[in-house]
Amino acid sequence: MRDDDLDLAEEQHLRSLTAAEAEGDERAVEAALRPKSLDEVVGQTRVREQLGLVLEAARQRGRAPDHVLLSGPPGLGKTTLAMIIAAEMSAPLRLTSGPAITHAGDLAAILSGMNDGDVLFVDEIHRMSRPAEEMLYMAMEDFRVDVVIGKGPGATAIPLEIPPFTLVGATTRAGLLPGPLRDRFGFTGHLEFYEAHELDRIVHRSAGLLGVELTDEGAAEIASRSRGTPRIANRLLRRVRDFAQVRADGVVTLPVSHAALDLYEVDALGLDRLDRAVIDALCRRFGGGPVGVSTLAVAVGEERETVEEVAEPFLVRMGFLARTPRGRIATAAAWRHLGLPAPSTPGVGQGDAALFED
């Protein structure tokens, strides 16, 4: 393998540490760490309380709960809550995703196998095909779908009755959901990023399940660098555990957490190599902007989508980067984080980079 291939593989591994999505074997590890009931869920107090009322009322009536829509950034627990809904109602859970439902027939096949009270979880529901979406309207409201047999003038619609079920939809982009679909959900919960003290509790809980010995200071350090996301906190905990096992005495202390996270290039605020490269290029090469996102992506050697969907949301949330009609600009906080003096009028007269805005 060439040196540049090794560098790319290493960079992808480091970037995956702070990615909010889970892939491959990590899903199996996540499953072992997931809370099994609402009482075990840390954080999301308002959503947890509201959802608890919905489920308890449904249990008392002896009916399936209303359809539930969960929205929010990846890694905050939407899939976990769907599993808890099924567990709380003692109902089977069927899982699928919006991209997997490309035709109305795909959805009809799933719905035809539903039993009374089942919970159907559709991840990334905003990416479902339009024909399937329109079929879902009737299924959610009337528990019935019309299956069309044949084509043209000879086509026949056969009504298919579906037992009452609960649809749990999850989306990272609620604004892309059509109004008619969004209105058919009886309960909508938006998951927020977690506070550091909540992530600290999650790290302690996960450490207990994984058999990791750690101090309060070590857990707090991991929590503070987890970008407000439990999935990232659990991922960093496992990497710090590995470091403690190989290069220390196996106990995750504050110095061990510091050394491990510095090795994996996750800084004190949770910024990784890509995040720092973006604000560094924006400040040093383009004088703070404004600069187009495609130009910025070329400057850091990444695809536009990677910069726009992976790095930008966190940098904007941290107040390091701002989006303007002319392009991206660095804020005073970004200059301070790099230890550079901020210009007196950031984003004004900083060069011609804005000419390349897309």
Side-chain angles (χ1 to χ4, degrees):
M1 184 178 289
R2 301 195 313 270
D3 290 344
D4 53 349
D5 292 332
L6 287 170
D7 292 342
L8 178 60
E10 179 187 3
E11 185 171 345
Q12 289 174 338
H13 170 68
L14 291 173
R15 188 185 310 147
S16 70
L17 286 175
T18 52
E21 293 81 5
E23 297 181 358
D25 296 339
E26 187 177 8
R27 295 184 183 275
V29 179
E30 273 194 0
L33 298 178
R34 281 194 169 109
K36 301 299 187 292
S37 68
L38 283 176
D39 292 336
E40 294 181 24
V41 175
V42 175
Q44 309 297 343
T45 306
R46 182 62 58 85
V47 172
R48 193 176 69 228
E49 183 177 358
Q50 293 170 344
L51 189 56
L53 287 173
V54 171
L55 299 181
E56 180 59 30
R59 274 196 298 267
Q60 291 182 7
R61 292 193 300 267
R63 299 178 58 185
D66 286 343
H67 304 300
V68 175
L69 177 64
L70 301 172
S71 65
L76 299 188
K78 296 185 291 295
T79 302
T80 296
L81 285 177
M83 293 179 173
I84 288 175
I85 290 171
E88 295 273 351
M89 299 305 298
S90 302
L93 176 68
R94 298 173 183 265
L95 296 95
T96 187
S97 65
I101 304 175
T102 57
H103 305 287
D106 299 332
L107 180 62
I110 295 171
L111 294 175
S112 64
M114 300 288 289
N115 297 313
D116 191 11
D118 282 3
V119 176
L120 173 62
F121 175 59
V122 182
D123 198 11
E124 295 300 299
I125 193 170
H126 64 271
R127 297 175 61 188
M128 187 184 300
S129 69
R130 182 55 58 87
E133 217 170 67
E134 293 172 353
M135 175 180 282
L136 191 58
Y137 296 162
M138 185 179 296
M140 294 174 68
E141 204 161 50
D142 302 327
F143 298 108
R144 179 177 70 89
V145 294
D146 291 333
V147 180
V148 179
I149 306 298
K151 295 182 179 180
T156 303
I158 301 176
L160 174 66
E161 298 294 329
I162 304 168
F165 70 98
T166 298
L167 172 68
V168 180
T171 177
T172 55
R173 306 182 70 179
L176 296 183
L177 280 179
L181 177 58
R182 191 166 52 244
D183 293 343
R184 282 171 168 79
F185 286 97
F187 171 76
T188 299
H190 180 74
L191 304 189
E192 304 284 350
F193 286 103
Y194 287 64
E195 299 292 336
H197 68 89
E198 295 170 336
L199 290 171
D200 186 276
R201 291 172 56 195
I202 290 172
V203 170
H204 273 96
R205 178 184 179 276
S206 298
L209 293 173
L210 293 172
V212 178
E213 186 178 351
L214 82 169
T215 65
D216 291 343
E217 294 80 7
E221 186 65 20
I222 295 172
S224 69
R225 303 194 191 196
S226 298
R227 303 164 78 111
T229 306
R231 178 176 290 155
I232 296 175
N234 288 330
R235 186 183 297 143
L236 294 181
L237 171 64
R238 296 197 301 275
R239 298 292 71 79
V240 174
R241 171 199 60 183
D242 296 343
F243 183 95
Q245 176 184 328
V246 175
R247 299 192 179 179
D249 59 0
V251 181
V252 176
T253 61
L254 178 59
V256 168
S257 294
H258 265 304
L261 295 172
D262 288 346
L263 174 66
Y264 287 115
E265 300 188 61
V266 180
D267 72 14
L269 295 180
L271 274 69
D272 62 13
R273 181 189 295 177
L274 176 61
D275 301 321
R276 290 191 298 274
V278 169
I279 61 173
D280 187 83
L282 189 54
C283 293
R284 296 182 193 272
R285 300 190 195 181
F286 302 113
V291 59
V293 65
S294 292
T295 305
L296 196 55
V298 171
V300 299
E302 288 289 350
E303 298 292 329
R304 172 196 169 114
E305 291 76 14
T306 302
V307 171
E308 198 167 23
E309 297 176 12
V310 177
E312 263 197 7
F314 182 63
L315 293 175
V316 170
R317 183 161 62 90
M318 293 295 292
F320 288 158
L321 181 146
R323 294 169 172 166
T324 73
R326 297 186 63 209
R328 275 57 174 173
I329 62 172
T331 65
W335 292 90
R336 284 197 301 271
H337 191 70
L338 296 176
L340 300 173
S344 56
T345 54
V348 179
Q350 301 294 332
D352 298 326
L355 298 176
F356 299 96
E357 175 62 6
D358 314 282

